[in-house]
Amino acid sequence: MRILRVAALAAGGLLLMGQVVPAQAHGGSSYRWELTPTGTTAQFRGLAAVSKDVAWVGGSGGTVLRTVDGGKHWQNVSPAGAEALQFRDVEAFDARRAVALTIGTGEDSRVYRTADGGKTWTETFRNTDANAFYDCIAFNDDKHGLALSDPVDGKFRIAATSDGGKSWTVQPGDGMPAALAGEFAFAASGTCLVAGHGRTAWFASGGGDRPRVFRTVDGGRHWTVADSPMASGAAAGIFSLAFRNSLFGVAVGGDFLKPTEAVKAASVTSDGGRTWQLVPADKAPKGYRSGSHFVPWSPTAVLAVGPSGSDVSFDGGRSWKQFYDGSFDSVECAGHGVNAGCWASGANGAVGRLVH
């Protein structure tokens, strides 16, 4: 199943560099992606937004890029010796400090850290369990973070850091509920695991007879789990989570083998992920979506992206409108006030900066 999943998630669409795509209007405002040429054909599923000017992307071929001028220029800061690996998640604290995850079975799952803008990297974690497969990482702050692996011995596995990614400790499994048969997480956009305030975090699953959302409030030591009404199956489930605060969140996904079909592709929660309500098909994104994120300048606006388009919701995920029909895999927003910005990344070296 893991081989099928990696192969399927490696496929992506094509974007023409330099294209600016207008959005649907809402309340006098329009959203559009301004595509920034990266000079590479890597597929970027790893994405970290710092502000409207600073962003990091990670992808296939061991590629990591960084911009500090809003995408006008991208610097190749790829770690040496990682050319055979796939970076699927990047978490950046600023223009100099970042942590990046490579995915795969066994020792292909690694974590790298830089404190000098990518000039040098240190490998701080290498998975040595042949049965583990790490999918996503997330940080509550610049010290505390978690990394999520698919189930090992019947339970999802968590590694934790309390020093900004310099060291990692695999957590005991007694606080993790048992996994369902065939259940795993999707390494599609770096948002199968997300972190909130304090020591709160959530991760989402698929592959089983129902997708689920797991929640911790103690930094990954103990977890509770809730069923989701979204699509289920070998290629279906929840691919991305986004939370505005400790209560309000959205989940997007569907079936990646049916990218243009809205197969139970979105749900919302108002109680911190304890319960989820399915978004009706006529209000959901118009296809499978792999990434999502709330925008900084609105309490209720949230973005979703996937191979068949990008959508925006202005009501916290309860209804969606598509504003772009091209392919992206990941989306992330960050910053405050005039420095706030949203970015998207995907196949063929595509990276977009949101204009609104």
Side-chain angles (χ1 to χ4, degrees), residues 11 20 27 39 45-46 59 61 124 148 151 157 184 197 204 211 221 239 280 289 298 313 329 342:
V20 178
R45 291 187 180 274
T124 61
L148 169 69
R157 176 170 288 181
F184 55 80
H197 294 294
R221 184 63 186 84
F239 285 71
R289 296 293 181 257
S298 167
S313 170
D329 298 313
C342 294

Side-chain angles (χ1 to χ4, degrees), residues 47-98:
L47 170 64
V50 176
S51 67
K52 67 178 179 61
D53 295 317
V54 179
W56 302 65
V57 291
S60 56
T63 307
V64 179
L65 307 182
R66 182 192 71 147
T67 183
V68 295
D69 58 7
K72 295 177 182 177
H73 303 90
W74 288 91
Q75 179 186 10
N76 190 331
V77 295
S78 304
E83 294 81 8
L85 302 174
Q86 296 187 54
F87 284 98
R88 290 292 181 91
D89 200 353
V90 182
E91 300 291 320
F93 309 114
D94 50 41
R96 296 182 59 81
R97 298 177 298 151

Side-chain angles (χ1 to χ4, degrees), residues 315-331:
D315 56 9
R318 292 172 177 80
S319 63
W320 298 81
K321 290 187 179 297
Q322 185 168 321
F323 66 89
Y324 178 53
D325 60 5
S327 174
F328 280 122
D329 298 313
S330 305
V331 61

Side-chain angles (χ1 to χ4, degrees), residues 11-17 19 21 32-36 43-45 47 188-189 288-291 304-311 323-331 343-347 349-354:
L14 176 67
L15 286 170
L16 299 177
M17 308 310 293
Q19 183 181 8
V21 182
R32 67 185 188 276
W33 292 116
E34 182 178 71
L35 303 189
T36 68
Q43 182 163 16
F44 293 123
R45 291 187 180 274
L47 170 64
S189 66
Y288 148 68
R289 296 293 181 257
S290 55
V305 301
S308 64
S310 299
D311 308 270
F323 66 89
Y324 178 53
D325 60 5
S327 174
F328 280 122
D329 298 313
S330 305
V331 61
W343 298 80
S345 64
V351 178
R353 189 169 66 95
L354 189 70

Side-chain angles (χ1 to χ4, degrees), residues 231 235-236 239 253-266 281 284-289 307-309 311 322:
F239 285 71
D255 189 327
F256 72 69
L257 297 180
K258 301 175 181 178
T260 62
E261 297 182 25
V263 184
K264 297 182 178 180
K286 302 308 178 187
Y288 148 68
R289 296 293 181 257
S308 64
D311 308 270
Q322 185 168 321

Side-chain angles (χ1 to χ4, degrees), residues 147-160:
L148 169 69
S149 168
D150 288 339
V152 178
D153 297 328
K155 292 184 177 181
F156 283 94
R157 176 170 288 181
I158 296 292

